[in-house]
Amino acid sequence: MVLFRRLLGDVLRSARMQRGMTLRELSADARVSLGYISEIERGQKEASSELLASLCQAMDLPLSDVLRDVADAVALEEAAMEVVASTPLTAARPAGDVVASAA
């Protein structure tokens, strides 16, 4: 759940910045507290569907675009986790790196 909140916040922040909007402008247009939007963008608070709709409307952005971008970001995170999970924890020692013990 934390991953989804963080990625949603990242997508919303990116969309706001691409539109050249400040948090204050978005807050006024969406009629949502600036602090709450900031917490959503940082992934600290969950956004209700009504709040998401209000934010998207204020940015003149379809909610479906936001959700698609979040889904794409989740897919990338999942792929990265699969790579990490399939990577062996120990690396093979190079052939020239032989340790001899004295008897």
Side-chain angles (χ1 to χ4, degrees):
M1 189 56 126
V2 172
L3 173 66
F4 183 82
R5 280 196 323 242
R6 180 179 57 82
L7 294 175
L8 175 62
D10 291 347
V11 167
L12 289 171
R13 181 183 317 102
S14 176
R16 177 180 57 78
M17 293 175 75
Q18 285 176 355
R19 282 158 180 70
M21 295 181 80
T22 65
L23 277 172
R24 188 171 310 280
E25 292 168 333
L26 181 58
S27 172
D29 290 351
R31 295 190 175 119
V32 176
S33 105
L34 186 143
Y36 199 72
I37 295 172
S38 176
E39 289 178 330
I40 289 169
E41 285 189 358
R42 288 181 288 159
Q44 295 177 338
K45 294 282 184 181
E46 289 188 34
S48 68
S49 57
E50 293 84 2
L51 178 64
L52 282 174
S54 179
L55 293 174
C56 288
Q57 184 177 4
M59 291 188 284
D60 194 29
L61 176 68
L63 177 58
S64 59
D65 287 355
V66 170
L67 296 177
R68 188 176 11 239
D69 290 347
V70 173
D72 290 346
V74 169
L76 287 173
E77 290 283 336
E78 288 174 338
M81 286 183 213
E82 286 178 16
V83 168
V84 169
S86 67
T87 303
L89 294 177
T90 57
R93 182 172 281 182
D97 192 13
V98 177
V99 177
S101 63

